[in-house]
Amino acid sequence: MFRSVLPRAVPRQLRPVTQSTFCAPNIYFQGRLRRGYASEAEEKDLVIIGGGVAGYVAAIKAGQAGLKVACIEKRGSLGGTCLNVGCIPSKSLLNNSHLYHQILHDTKNRGIEVGEVKLNLEAMMKAKETSVSGLTKGIEFLFKKNNVEYIKGTGAFQDEHTIAVNLVDGGETSVKGKNIFIATGSEATPFPGLTIDEKKVITSTGAIALQEVPKKLVVIGGGIIGLEMASVWSRLGSEVTVVEYLGQIGGPGMDAEIAKQTQKLLGKQGMKFKLNTKVVSGDDSSETIKISTEAAKGGKEDVLDADVVLVAIGRRPYTAGLGLENIGLETDERGRLIIDQEYRTKIPHIRSIGDVTFGPMLAHKAEEEAVAAVEYLTKGYGHVNYGAIPSVMYTHPEVAWVGQNEQELKAAGVKYKVGTFPFSANSRAKTNLDTEGMVKFISDANTDRILGIHIVGPNAGEMIAEGTLALEYGASSEDVARTSHAHPTLSEAFKEAAMSTYDKAIHY
Amino acid sequence: MNATRVLLQQRQPMIRFLGKRAIPSQVDHTPHVHPASPSQSLPDSFASYRKKAQQHGPLNQSSQYSTIGGRPGSQLGPVEAGKGLHFDRSELPQRFQRLAWTQAEIEAVESGGASTYA
């Protein structure tokens, strides 16, 4: 009878009343005051979906600011792609494979006689896992220290303030937030026609977990990820061929002169490159994989044979299963969440940071955004300078750059000066017997303000920090040149490149 | 004379200490294009959502997002719908929506309250 009196057009889900925070004044009202406006469950100040670099940094920063924070992560360990299957494990493999390669090929001329050198890939992988687990557990500790609630599960929007969480350990829960950050990151873009099984056809995730050294490895995509992984397996004994659609390696951000020199240096290490080449199709039906290529502008065809194919053509934002359709949030043509200058989506209390939105897909960019987004929330003001975000490729020698490159400045019609300094003229590089590469400064022709710094050489990744600081402060090349740099260090090459930009280098 | 000339010739570094960082007194919180946006445009949905949405007061007020709790609720302005607009209860946050009846409540009504004492 009751139902017929009060028909409902849309049957609603029953709202679970888990726990009432309302204390009834006497026994008569106990349990009878559910129908009031008193809130039933605790609402968080901030709920973050994704415990990667963007998510966990935002969670810690918000915890430090005294907000009530929950961070939802489905992987089972914090740190996202970077810590679990990206930057960190790859750096472990790059460092250890470099050591192995150096012991094999570069000890005699240093006066070190070594006996038989053998690779124990299993132990190398274990060393990688030890670094990863140490770091991910470190974040869990930081969560506890900063009162961040860590929810292990998959979050999906139920409405604009509620996230339904499918828990990793089974069961479901939901969490409400006054503010919500989407920091779900990115995933490797698959190559049409090749099925990724992470054994024979792999992404970067599979490339850091191969059980044995492949005899022949073909890398589709000569960007940073592709070249780093190519370096690892080339050093461990694979015959590596890199196929790149563009006319240069390193992606469009790398300065053309630096890219050319890097390609030469990597080629000397045994890597083969096929630039301006398009992969047409792949056939993984037989034991080896056949990759058909042709010249990017059409024409010359070729077939490459490989035991393992690494697909490294880029990454795409990851929003699958997030329930964006439930709240009407839109993405752009590449799947990136559309945000304004304060990281807000069209729904102002829902912000988006990291790989899932605009800008380069870099962990340190995500970190900057996380801090800025929380500051917008707590202080109403944040800061990220997208013009001064460094990029580093951890091959040997390393490649690093910040700011604009020559081709970009030429296209923009900016008048500029260039100054370079080779590591072969640097004393420390000479003593280290590691003299390949150079530092290149680009500064404004009129004001001498630094516009870009590009390095290929030993320790470039660490050295670029000084360049980024100079760029952030709006320094001139003369400012850097007149700053004392310790002798003998590699950083003197940095100073001398600045000297050669506004005047002349001393040692070259 | 010469000392002055030397001083005048001294190089002025481009890096200058600007003093302690402070939050600007006026920050424009209206949505603008994100600096890294490739299209350099915001879709219309940003404006249209703000026109109709109510979050702790109307959203189309520019100075609203200073800090959390930065201003008392009474200063946020009326929460009523604009002229010619109306809000449906179902558009409000869930805590303002009608509660679904629980099975126990339905039984209580149907049994005239007897089930609550059973």
Side-chain angles (χ1 to χ4, degrees):
Chain A
M1 180 204 108
F2 180 75
R3 282 198 189 93
S4 61
V5 175
L6 278 173
R8 278 164 208 263
V10 186
R12 294 224 188 90
Q13 239 187 337
L14 287 184
R15 184 145 55 116
V17 183
T18 45
Q19 176 192 352
S20 174
T21 50
F22 186 85
C23 274
N26 65 44
I27 190 89
Y28 178 76
F29 289 110
Q30 292 273 338
R32 290 166 188 264
L33 289 168
R34 195 171 68 91
R35 290 177 184 281
Y37 279 167
S39 71
E40 81 215 358
E42 187 195 44
E43 194 179 40
K44 298 280 180 193
D45 292 322
L46 176 61
V47 174
I48 300 163
I49 311 175
V53 176
Y56 91 70
V57 171
I60 292 171
K61 183 78 187 165
Q64 287 170 348
L67 302 187
K68 276 189 275 179
V69 201
C71 182
I72 305 165
E73 169 58 54
K74 71 173 181 180
R75 195 186 293 267
S77 67
L78 292 165
T81 300
C82 170
L83 258 82
N84 292 282
V85 289
C87 328
I88 299 299
S90 67
K91 255 74 286 163
S92 166
L93 288 181
L94 276 159
N95 190 49
N96 293 336
S97 64
H98 175 61
L99 264 175
Y100 169 74
H101 193 257
Q102 195 165 22
I103 294 168
L104 267 185
H105 303 288
D106 188 23
T107 48
K108 267 203 182 128
N109 59 335
R110 293 172 188 269
I112 307 164
E113 297 275 342
V114 282
E116 195 192 2
V117 183
K118 265 171 62 185
L119 170 70
N120 184 341
L121 190 59
E122 205 184 323
M124 197 180 268
M125 291 294 171
K126 210 166 177 197
K128 174 202 80 180
E129 277 145 30
T130 312
S131 342
V132 169
S133 69
L135 285 166
T136 53
K137 291 216 175 79
I139 305 171
E140 273 188 52
F141 163 76
L142 289 172
F143 268 22
K144 277 185 201 138
K145 189 180 158 194
N146 292 292
N147 296 320
V148 177
E149 188 183 332
Y150 172 25
I151 304 170
K152 286 185 188 177
T154 311
F157 280 99
Q158 227 166 34
D159 61 49
E160 290 180 2
H161 282 277
T162 317
I163 313 287
V165 187
N166 225 330
L167 295 169
V168 170
D169 297 334
E172 281 174 24
T173 184
S174 73
V175 55
K176 274 171 167 282
K178 290 190 184 85
N179 294 282
I180 296 166
F181 281 8
I182 303 173
T184 45
S186 60
E187 60 178 353
T189 311
F191 191 83
L194 281 173
T195 317
I196 308 244
D197 61 1
E198 297 296 9
K199 286 197 167 71
K200 275 167 73 181
V201 181
I202 57 174
T203 65
S204 57
T205 309
I208 54 161
L210 288 178
Q211 309 279 316
E212 57 183 63
V213 182
K215 228 172 138 227
K216 281 184 182 175
L217 173 71
V218 167
V219 181
I220 306 177
I224 292 180
I225 297 175
L227 292 177
E228 286 184 357
M229 286 300 112
S231 284
V232 167
W233 296 106
S234 156
R235 289 167 191 167
L236 298 181
S238 286
E239 194 184 298
V240 179
T241 310
V242 179
V243 185
E244 168 61 49
Y245 183 81
L246 298 174
Q248 70 162 55
I249 59 163
M254 195 184 276
D255 187 84
E257 189 185 0
I258 298 282
K260 220 170 171 184
Q261 193 171 357
T262 309
Q263 189 188 334
K264 217 165 107 191
L265 296 172
L266 295 178
K268 258 170 52 183
Q269 293 168 18
M271 263 183 248
K272 286 185 197 139
F273 292 96
K274 283 174 83 71
L275 302 187
N276 292 312
T277 305
K278 188 162 69 175
V279 174
V280 186
S281 61
D283 176 16
D284 53 3
S285 55
S286 57
E287 202 161 298
T288 57
I289 306 159
K290 295 206 176 345
I291 300 288
S292 308
T293 65
E294 66 172 38
K297 286 174 190 158
K300 208 180 146 203
E301 288 175 19
D302 196 4
V303 178
L304 298 168
D305 209 28
D307 299 298
V308 173
V309 173
L310 166 62
V311 178
I313 53 169
R315 297 183 66 81
R316 61 183 186 188
Y318 181 67
T319 51
L322 194 54
L324 293 182
E325 61 287 351
N326 296 343
I327 51 169
L329 271 190
E330 63 246 285
T331 55
D332 72 357
E333 76 286 353
R334 287 207 187 170
R336 292 173 289 214
L337 277 161
I338 300 169
I339 51 167
D340 65 10
Q341 83 282 12
E342 297 189 359
Y343 307 100
R344 293 172 298 199
T345 60
K346 77 170 188 193
I347 305 169
H349 70 266
I350 302 176
R351 293 174 201 245
S352 174
I353 48 174
D355 284 6
V356 76
T357 186
F358 302 139
M361 290 187 180
L362 295 167
H364 44 277
K365 169 258 189 188
E367 216 170 309
E368 295 299 314
E369 288 186 340
V371 171
V374 172
E375 282 180 345
Y376 272 121
L377 210 62
T378 55
K379 297 178 181 167
Y381 187 65
H383 165 86
V384 176
N385 181 359
Y386 287 90
I389 293 173
S391 299
V392 184
M393 180 165 89
Y394 297 86
T395 48
H396 188 85
E398 290 180 350
V399 184
W401 69 90
V402 66
Q404 290 165 290
N405 58 33
E406 262 199 270
Q407 52 274 34
E408 284 166 351
L409 290 168
K410 257 184 209 153
V414 178
K415 284 191 178 151
Y416 61 88
K417 294 181 294 185
V418 175
T420 57
F421 190 81
F423 279 101
S424 55
N426 174 266
S427 53
R428 188 64 187 275
K430 273 253 187 279
T431 59
N432 291 350
L433 299 176
D434 198 0
T435 53
E436 286 169 333
M438 66 167 180
V439 182
K440 175 174 176 177
F441 265 66
I442 306 174
S443 73
D444 188 281
N446 298 320
T447 62
D448 190 32
R449 187 181 174 141
I450 298 168
L451 300 173
I453 296 168
H454 305 265
I455 310 168
V456 51
N459 223 23
E462 302 290 338
M463 200 181 284
I464 202 65
E466 184 181 353
T468 312
L469 193 67
L471 205 70
E472 182 74 47
Y473 276 162
S476 63
S477 66
E478 191 180 347
D479 287 337
V480 175
R482 289 193 188 275
T483 308
S484 176
H485 287 66
H487 175 75
T489 58
L490 296 169
S491 71
E492 282 176 294
F494 192 84
K495 175 194 162 95
E496 294 242 27
M499 284 175 100
S500 84
T501 311
Y502 90 94
D503 192 5
K504 274 189 178 121
I506 298 291
H507 296 96
Y508 187 64
Chain B
M1 177 79 183
N2 274 345
T4 322
R5 196 169 285 166
V6 168
L7 270 177
L8 280 173
Q9 281 174 353
Q10 225 178 30
R11 201 185 67 87
Q12 280 290 320
M14 282 177 82
I15 303 174
R16 271 181 220 156
F17 183 61
L18 300 172
K20 194 178 184 310
R21 266 184 193 264
I23 294 170
S25 53
Q26 287 285 317
V27 182
D28 181 10
H29 292 287
T30 53
H32 294 290
V33 178
H34 185 268
S37 163
S39 67
Q40 285 300 304
S41 64
L42 268 188
D44 298 336
S45 57
F46 276 71
S48 59
Y49 182 89
R50 279 165 173 77
K51 241 183 198 165
K52 76 171 190 27
Q54 296 269 320
Q55 286 186 350
H56 314 290
L59 270 176
N60 45 4
Q61 286 182 352
S62 58
S63 59
Q64 183 195 342
Y65 271 86
S66 49
T67 51
I68 291 180
R71 292 170 63 195
S74 60
Q75 276 185 24
L76 294 173
V79 292
E80 285 102 41
K83 212 180 165 194
L85 291 172
H86 76 280
F87 297 125
D88 192 272
R89 183 177 264 219
S90 64
E91 288 176 3
L92 293 172
Q94 206 180 22
R95 64 180 184 279
F96 298 119
Q97 292 179 19
R98 287 188 189 281
L99 270 182
W101 296 93
T102 66
Q103 196 56 42
E105 282 173 317
I106 293 168
E107 275 167 21
V109 173
E110 285 181 342
S111 65
S115 69
T116 52
Y117 298 97

